[in-house]
Amino acid sequence: MNEALWALGRGTGVVSLALFTVSVLLGILNRSGRPLFTLPRFSVALVHRNVALLATAFLAIHLVTLFGDSYAQLRLVDFVVPFLGAAKPFWLGLGTLAVDLMLAIVITALLRGVVGVRVFKAVHWLTYLMWPVALLHSIGNGTDVGQTWFIAFAATCSIAVVAALVWRLSRGFIEYQNVRVERAS
């Protein structure tokens, strides 16, 4: 049973990282005001939200399966307090930190109407910290880190996010800003 839990934990961790990568990319695209192929901007926002929630669900499965696995040696405190783990405490702590950041992001996103747009946006900026911390966790704690497929996967995710971030920080990023302002008035 431990091997099945371990395999499911590894697999859901990789899928979660892939989905969080797509979510980051969609979030940046959504902020630009551009459509995605034939999807209008409001659809991009919905897909972004749903992909983020799906990534969160896979992350929950990742945590629950590894909690049940004796090899991972996880305790309940390891899910909330970083760097206390029995095995590879630094790398596990990065995963815990990423989970804590993700929870703050998801909770404020779900309560956006209650906490307000300003708080939502401020907390949402934590995504730019959560994603690389999660990637580092997978590199330091993952058992497939030496495999060619994982190196290609991590490199592809990294290149995509860095390219999107460079675009996000560029001068020409918000091409449709005036269109959004005109529609609001």
Side-chain angles (χ1 to χ4, degrees):
M1 183 64 162
N2 272 347
E3 284 188 36
L5 289 174
W6 184 249
L8 184 59
R10 286 172 39 212
T12 53
V14 170
V15 170
S16 181
L17 182 60
L19 289 169
F20 276 123
T21 300
V22 171
S23 179
V24 167
L25 299 175
L26 287 170
I28 291 171
L29 179 65
N30 184 55
R31 185 69 188 119
S32 77
R34 291 172 175 82
L36 176 63
F37 304 114
T38 60
L39 285 177
R41 183 170 178 251
F42 73 89
S43 294
V44 174
L46 290 173
V47 173
H48 164 66
R49 184 192 68 196
N50 290 336
V51 167
L53 291 174
L54 187 60
T56 303
F58 271 92
L59 181 60
I61 297 168
H62 174 68
L63 297 173
V64 168
T65 55
L66 291 179
F67 182 69
D69 178 35
S70 61
Y71 179 77
Q73 303 175 24
L74 295 177
R75 302 164 300 161
L76 286 176
V77 70
D78 296 327
F79 291 122
V80 250
V81 182
F83 311 112
L84 297 179
K88 298 183 179 180
F90 177 74
W91 300 111
L92 177 62
L94 290 178
T96 303
L97 182 59
V99 168
D100 292 346
L101 292 169
M102 182 271 315
L103 285 172
I105 295 163
V106 168
I107 289 168
T108 55
L110 293 173
L111 298 175
R112 183 178 182 170
V114 175
V115 299
V117 174
R118 180 175 281 168
V119 171
F120 164 76
K121 284 182 178 181
V123 174
H124 224 71
W125 277 98
L126 292 175
T127 302
Y128 294 113
L129 176 61
M130 187 237 20
W131 187 86
V133 169
L135 177 68
L136 288 173
H137 162 74
S138 69
I139 290 169
N141 222 26
T143 54
D144 296 313
V145 73
Q147 301 293 320
T148 304
W149 72 266
F150 184 82
I151 294 167
F153 167 74
T156 301
C157 290
S158 299
I159 290 167
V161 169
V162 167
L165 187 57
V166 166
W167 177 54
R168 171 76 171 97
L169 297 174
S170 71
R171 289 181 141 208
F173 174 72
I174 302 181
E175 181 177 308
Y176 298 109
Q177 182 177 11
N178 293 335
V179 173
R180 285 198 304 238
V181 170
E182 288 173 14
R183 286 182 187 161
S185 31

